[in-house]
Amino acid sequence: MPELPPSYQALTDVISAVSQRVHRTPWAHDTEYEVWHLFQGPSAGWGWVSEDDLNAQLDALWRPFRAAECWIYRDSERGGLWSVGLPRWRAMYEEWAVRRRQELAVEMAQLTETLRAAASSAQHAAEEAALAFPAPTAVWKSPATALHRARAQRALLDELLAEPHHIDDERSQFTCRAAAVPGEDVGGSPESVCGCGRDERVFRRLTLLAQVTGHLALEGSVKP
């Protein structure tokens, strides 16, 4: 791996600082892509950290980015960190983004199924308990409270999933592919996966809900 020029090294250090802030490691998996995604515009955040909490690190990217006029990435074949020109990097990022959106759609469907089943099971159990034990017992301290909690979790799940994808009635090319009407020209990749950030936001919130309700381990970071 060649030694990076000072301007490139400065850019590398700031990108690494974002990874350190989120994952407490100098270069977490897909750091170059995740940080670029944050750097380019609104995002649900990365890991446990919201975009707002990363403002200081993202603001610090501008000066070294302008000086270097490139991006830094980890090359798994050659090993280590390398610089890449922006035209090539943007193409690399777009390929990664399509793959990530497809993976996200699958992961979100699986998590939604798990949460729906758990919420239905909890509500059913609470309803039966409320009928069988109208008064508090050693097992059911308050059946009514358990039922209310189960219904609230189902309502929260339904509300999270109801968030719409972006639709632009005047400029269809800016409508999210996941919300596009078949036959419309929405531009970009032909894959009908979310490109407006809705799935990122919803998946993050579903993950947090699953962790709070005990249906997903707390260890590890929240995926975007």
Side-chain angles (χ1 to χ4, degrees):
M1 182 182 71
E3 183 177 350
L4 295 173
S7 60
Y8 292 12
Q9 187 60 55
L11 178 60
T12 301
D13 291 344
V14 180
I15 296 174
S16 178
V18 180
S19 174
Q20 191 72 47
R21 170 74 173 82
V22 176
H23 292 292
R24 297 183 180 180
T25 186
W27 204 276
H29 178 65
D30 282 348
T31 285
E32 57 269 50
Y33 298 105
E34 298 284 4
V35 174
W36 179 266
H37 181 55
L38 290 165
F39 191 43
Q40 296 304 301
S43 166
W46 185 25
W48 291 102
V49 187
S50 70
E51 185 181 30
D52 289 343
D53 291 333
L54 291 169
N55 280 340
Q57 286 82 5
L58 296 175
D59 288 345
L61 267 173
W62 280 107
R63 180 173 294 179
F65 175 68
R66 290 192 183 109
E69 295 185 337
C70 70
W71 198 245
I72 307 298
Y73 75 106
R74 183 180 294 281
D75 191 311
S76 58
E77 295 182 359
R78 294 184 291 179
L81 301 175
W82 295 73
S83 62
V84 59
L86 293 179
R88 184 185 167 208
W89 166 249
R90 289 189 176 99
M92 291 168 60
Y93 171 78
E94 286 303 319
E95 290 179 3
W96 174 85
V98 169
R99 291 196 306 272
R100 183 66 192 109
R101 289 166 188 162
Q102 291 171 326
E103 293 169 357
L104 183 63
V106 173
E107 292 172 3
M108 187 161 66
Q110 293 172 341
L111 182 56
T112 298
E113 183 178 353
T114 297
L115 285 171
R116 280 196 185 283
S120 295
S121 177
Q123 182 170 338
H124 180 68
E127 287 172 346
E128 288 190 337
L131 291 173
F133 309 107
T137 68
V139 177
W140 291 90
K141 298 297 184 182
S142 176
T145 298
L147 179 58
H148 179 75
R149 183 182 297 112
R151 287 173 174 169
Q153 289 176 3
R154 291 198 67 177
L156 177 57
L157 177 60
D158 290 339
E159 187 167 318
L160 288 174
L161 295 172
E163 180 177 340
H165 293 274
H166 176 72
I167 296 177
D168 193 317
D169 294 327
E170 296 182 356
R171 298 170 295 178
S172 62
Q173 68 270 26
F174 294 116
T175 289
C176 178
R177 290 187 294 273
V181 177
E184 282 194 355
D185 177 19
V186 295
S189 172
E191 286 82 358
S192 58
V193 293
C194 176
C196 68
R198 178 267 185 191
D199 280 3
E200 283 187 51
R201 294 189 297 274
V202 171
F203 183 73
R204 177 184 174 84
R205 293 163 186 166
L206 288 176
T207 302
L208 292 170
L209 176 61
Q211 290 173 333
V212 167
T213 56
H215 297 107
L216 194 65
L218 291 174
E219 290 80 6
S221 60
V222 179
K223 295 182 180 180

